[in-house]
Amino acid sequence: MLKKKRRIAVWITAIITTSLLGITALATTPTKPNDTWDKYASTSFAGGTGTKADPYQIATGEQLAKL
């Protein structure tokens, strides 16, 4: 009975440790977060002026990167 409890405790510890390692890996941020999309951004949108009545029109990924 004691060996079974010890085995369960070891498994729980391993699961918690593995989960925490995954969380810390996701918590890292890039050193230059604004540098990611700058190289791929378009110089203009497909249309629109950016107002509520006439919003920007986005047709490509490059235009989305500009936003």
Side-chain angles (χ1 to χ4, degrees), residues 4-5 7 10 12 15-16 19 21 24-25 29 38-40 51 54-55 57 61 63 67:
K4 185 176 181 179
K5 286 184 181 181
R7 196 174 304 152
V10 169
I12 290 173
I15 291 169
I16 291 172
S19 298
L21 289 175
T24 55
T29 58
D38 290 346
K39 299 174 196 169
Y40 307 104
T51 64
D54 186 26
Q57 296 175 10
Q63 291 169 349
L67 187 64

Side-chain angles (χ1 to χ4, degrees), residues 21-32:
L21 289 175
I23 290 171
T24 55
L26 293 174
T28 60
T29 58
T31 54
K32 295 181 180 179

Side-chain angles (χ1 to χ4, degrees), residues 8 24 36 42-43 45 52 57-58 63:
I8 291 171
T24 55
T36 307
S42 176
T43 57
F45 292 106
K52 188 175 182 179
Q57 296 175 10
I58 299 172
Q63 291 169 349

